[in-house]
Amino acid sequence: MPEFTKAMQFVLLRSQAEAKAAHQEDATVEFLFLGLLKLAEVQAKDFVSSSSSDSLKAVDDEIKSIRTAFEKHGIDTSRTRGLLRYAVRQNTLSSADALAKCLGKAAQFAAERKSEAISAHDLLLAILENPTDMILQICPIKKKEEKPVVKKEEA
């Protein structure tokens, strides 16, 4: 089982709460995205019970990176949370396979950072790289286009 940063643990707990509120048994990529949106609206002191200022600063820095990424993409976290909450109750959600791929990509980003713990920022990067159709309908995210493979003709 992979390790998670404190901010990522918050996202996982929020995603489970959002899934439960939507009468869904399992969290999906959309619920993880809801957890990230909520994370961008809180401070470390709201959920970290640590007396260490270094620990609080690390979590606040991670939260700031999430806020910055949302701002960079023009995503209003509060509005998007409301729209996405409505959408998850009305539409078909992403699959368990999509969730596994997303978490796998987040783990890959963590490994590239040479970290054993997956961060909320790693998860956000994974979702932004390959957002679900529902997230794309709600957010102004540009899906990464795959470059066509050009085969060289053999002489």
Side-chain angles (χ1 to χ4, degrees), residues 6-96:
K6 289 185 187 312
M8 182 63 177
Q9 290 172 14
F10 173 88
V11 170
L12 293 171
L13 289 172
R14 285 298 312 165
S15 67
Q16 291 171 338
E18 292 284 359
K20 187 176 180 181
H23 306 290
Q24 298 290 326
E25 290 183 30
D26 300 312
T28 62
V29 174
E30 293 83 5
F31 292 116
L32 288 174
F33 196 66
L34 280 168
L36 286 165
L37 291 164
K38 180 62 178 175
L39 178 67
E41 297 174 350
V42 299
Q43 296 177 0
K45 65 180 181 169
D46 296 334
F47 65 93
V48 176
S49 59
S50 174
S51 58
S52 166
S53 62
D54 289 342
S55 179
L56 283 173
K57 183 177 178 345
V59 177
D60 272 331
D61 287 348
E62 190 170 348
I63 292 170
K64 185 178 178 183
S65 76
I66 297 296
R67 276 190 206 120
T68 302
F70 280 133
E71 288 169 4
K72 178 182 169 188
H73 284 85
I75 298 171
D76 177 330
T77 57
S78 181
R79 180 179 180 279
T80 302
R81 270 185 45 227
L83 292 171
L84 190 53
R85 276 184 171 157
Y86 178 78
V88 297
R89 288 169 175 79
Q90 308 299 321
N91 299 295
T92 304
L93 302 173
S94 61
S95 66

